[in-house]
Amino acid sequence: MDGRTTRVEVRGHYDAVIVGGGIAGLVCGTQLAQRGKRTLIVERSAQPGGCCSSFTQKGFTFDVAVHHISGCGRLSIVGSCLRALGIECEFIRLDPMDTLVFPSWSLPVPTRLDAFAALLAERFPRERAGIHAFFAEIVKLYRALLDERRESPTLVRYQDLTFAEMLDGFFDDPRLKLGLSGQWGYLGSPPQELSAVGMCQMIVNYWRDGAYYPRGGTQAFADAIASKFVASGGDLLVSTAVRDVLVDGTRAAGVRLADGREIAADAVVSNVDPAQTFFRLLDGTVDPAYARRLRTLQVSSPFVLLYLGVSARCEPERLARGFYFFSEELGGPWLYVSSPTQIEPGMAPPGYHTMTVVASLTSEEDAGGDWRAVQETKVRDVLDRIEDFVPGLREHVEVMTVAHPPSGAERTSNFCGAPYGWAVTPQQSGMRRLAHETPIENLYLTGHWTIPGPGVCAVVASGWRVANRIAAREPAVSRPVDGRTGTSALA
């Protein structure tokens, strides 16, 4: 972020203070500022965006975690939000969005639902009827998720099912099931554990509304929102940590910064993880039932990232963007490979490219604890696999940076380095995810730990929802501890 867009003279009192400048916090703050609410966003990093940010090393610019964004069309969730807030950001539409590469076959994933259905029907003619029935059903489920009627029979039918169980209801061919579930890495849980509802929320946004890459990289997307926030009268503090969320009796009253300054607020929004919010930041007691729930929720599985700056002589375009699976076992280990400079060449010096590789972790690797040893072995294995497609890649690497779960926790403050917040299981998806309202009056949660879940499109919706509640000064919705009542995930 350009320092000219960052205000540092903060007030003593705000209508709302937002802790964390990730995408949900930025969207929430911009909408509040445009509604005339005096709003402050406090971000501990030097730039806003959270997972949707970039860093530069030796002339190479790398996206921290986000590879593309769904729902950026004019009438889709992200596109509608940007248009409503007057934010201009140029996007490049990707088609296909990904290629799924298995040991003996591969499958491109178009960003048009009808095109994907037609491709699958051509590849798997014996499953044609099931394919058309599945796509009709998953769109029906997606619409049920957008509807505030909680008694939807479609939602009831699938809210307790995994995505693998949903697929079993339509198909027999194991390869078709592999192809339809092949993007499960975007949510972190294998299809046998992944919520059918959670998978629906993510893939329908991609398959129906398209996948997009921001011109200039993901930091440009975050910066566009942050600049509009500041231009709308909001105050943005970067490189500043919040030490405490202040509580007056049963209500949130403001924040205390790391330098000791106290800032009063009528509402506090936490865009950092709930465990940190309630067990480290909250200057008061935590409701026992709420604390028990937070301690029993399962976090999403971590992964390892490799950021590579390479010479164009190694021809990185030979690696199609997408998931590379080590086996044809459902839920098996994978790599996700992308080269942003194939879309946006200016992110590397002339004659060079950037590559990002995400590598899933086995349960043994995740539990190992000695990340230095795990990292060394993992990097060697990942490079070996990539060289199956791009021989001699190692000889062309100019820059390599590795991010493992502890470094991910340090960069984003995510509890346990969890990249998707809580695991997207049937018990923790849709309206069963944490609500925006909390037991502390006027303390709200936003981001991928809350309704509707992980992904840029989902956290945009999350930030929008919280801003609506604060702007309208709605009373907090009464919710039981299991989080099973409330309003639509995208209201």
Side-chain angles (χ1 to χ4, degrees), residues 312-334:
R313 293 192 302 275
C314 72
E315 300 179 316
E317 63 273 11
R318 293 168 61 180
L319 269 172
R321 179 183 58 250
F323 288 92
Y324 290 73
F325 290 88
F326 302 173
S327 72
E328 300 194 10
E329 175 188 1
L330 192 69
W334 50 266

Side-chain angles (χ1 to χ4, degrees), residues 325-361:
F325 290 88
F326 302 173
S327 72
E328 300 194 10
E329 175 188 1
L330 192 69
W334 50 266
L335 303 177
Y336 183 87
V337 180
S338 65
S339 178
T341 45
Q342 301 297 318
I343 310 166
E344 186 66 301
M347 297 179 71
Y352 293 89
H353 285 282
T354 61
M355 293 178 63
T356 303
V357 184
V358 186
S360 65
L361 291 170

Side-chain angles (χ1 to χ4, degrees), residues 51-233:
C51 292
C52 205
S53 59
S54 307
F55 68 94
T56 299
Q57 186 174 4
K58 296 184 179 179
F60 295 90
T61 299
F62 300 99
D63 297 313
V64 167
V66 173
H67 307 292
H68 40 52
I69 301 171
S70 67
C72 297
R74 187 173 180 274
L75 299 179
S76 304
I77 291 172
V78 176
S80 297
C81 170
L82 297 181
R83 190 175 71 256
L85 297 176
I87 296 168
E88 293 186 5
C89 185
E90 184 180 355
F91 293 97
I92 303 160
R93 196 174 195 275
L94 309 179
D95 198 359
M97 65 172 292
D98 283 326
T99 298
L100 308 177
V101 181
F102 300 98
S104 65
W105 65 293
S106 63
L107 178 70
V109 181
T111 49
R112 274 183 38 229
L113 192 144
D114 57 343
F116 194 28
L119 172 64
L120 291 171
E122 180 182 348
R123 291 275 192 99
F124 304 94
R126 294 185 178 181
E127 299 273 20
R128 185 180 301 272
I131 289 167
H132 290 298
F134 170 78
F135 276 89
E137 187 75 351
I138 203 163
V139 170
K140 186 177 178 182
L141 175 57
Y142 182 78
R143 289 173 176 162
L145 292 168
L146 298 179
D147 198 323
E148 292 192 17
R149 294 176 302 168
R150 297 300 304 281
E151 68 277 9
S152 163
T154 303
L155 183 56
V156 170
R157 185 179 310 128
Y158 293 107
Q159 64 184 0
D160 293 322
L161 296 186
T162 66
F163 192 61
E165 290 171 331
M166 183 179 186
L167 292 175
D168 287 342
F170 290 89
F171 308 112
D172 295 318
D173 193 308
R175 282 195 170 192
L176 180 52
K177 295 176 187 178
L178 276 175
L180 283 167
S181 63
Q183 293 172 288
W184 65 265
Y186 287 136
L187 295 176
S189 298
Q192 303 92 321
E193 302 172 12
L194 179 61
S195 161
V197 168
M199 187 66 162
C200 172
Q201 286 178 323
M202 187 271 291
I203 59 176
V204 172
N205 277 319
Y206 276 127
W207 295 351
R208 190 189 70 170
D209 297 330
Y212 300 81
Y213 188 77
R215 179 73 71 185
T218 56
Q219 188 66 59
F221 173 68
D223 285 351
I225 307 173
S227 295
K228 179 59 71 171
F229 168 69
V230 173
S232 301

Side-chain angles (χ1 to χ4, degrees), residues 362-371 374:
T362 65
S363 56
E364 293 77 15
E365 289 170 334
D366 187 15
D370 183 357
W371 283 107
V374 169

Side-chain angles (χ1 to χ4, degrees), residues 55-62 305-312 314 347-349 352-357 379 383 386 393-403:
F55 68 94
T56 299
Q57 186 174 4
K58 296 184 179 179
F60 295 90
T61 299
F62 300 99
L305 285 126
L306 273 68
Y307 306 100
L308 305 175
V310 301
S311 165
C314 72
M347 297 179 71
Y352 293 89
H353 285 282
T354 61
M355 293 178 63
T356 303
V357 184
V379 169
L383 292 177
I386 293 178
L393 173 76
R394 283 178 170 90
E395 301 172 8
H396 299 282
V397 173
E398 299 289 330
V399 170
M400 182 171 71
T401 298
V402 182

Side-chain angles (χ1 to χ4, degrees), residues 225-382:
I225 307 173
S227 295
K228 179 59 71 171
F229 168 69
V230 173
S232 301
D235 290 340
L236 175 62
L237 273 179
V238 296
S239 302
T240 304
V242 169
R243 184 195 302 168
D244 301 296
V245 172
L246 303 175
V247 177
D248 181 8
T250 61
R251 62 178 296 276
V255 299
R256 181 182 294 113
L257 304 181
D259 62 9
R261 281 181 292 172
E262 293 189 2
I263 301 171
D266 296 333
V268 176
V269 179
S270 176
N271 188 206
V272 299
D273 76 77
Q276 180 181 181
T277 302
F278 282 90
F279 300 139
R280 189 174 73 80
L281 298 182
L282 194 68
D283 185 26
T285 58
V286 182
D287 176 79
Y290 197 78
R292 282 195 300 273
R293 187 184 179 209
L294 290 180
R295 290 191 175 100
T296 58
L297 290 172
Q298 176 189 357
V299 298
S300 56
S301 300
F303 47 62
V304 169
L305 285 126
L306 273 68
Y307 306 100
L308 305 175
V310 301
S311 165
R313 293 192 302 275
C314 72
E315 300 179 316
E317 63 273 11
R318 293 168 61 180
L319 269 172
R321 179 183 58 250
F323 288 92
Y324 290 73
F325 290 88
F326 302 173
S327 72
E328 300 194 10
E329 175 188 1
L330 192 69
W334 50 266
L335 303 177
Y336 183 87
V337 180
S338 65
S339 178
T341 45
Q342 301 297 318
I343 310 166
E344 186 66 301
M347 297 179 71
Y352 293 89
H353 285 282
T354 61
M355 293 178 63
T356 303
V357 184
V358 186
S360 65
L361 291 170
T362 65
S363 56
E364 293 77 15
E365 289 170 334
D366 187 15
D370 183 357
W371 283 107
R372 180 172 296 181
V374 169
Q375 175 179 313
E376 185 175 325
T377 303
K378 195 71 176 180
V379 169
R380 184 180 64 248
D381 291 347
V382 167

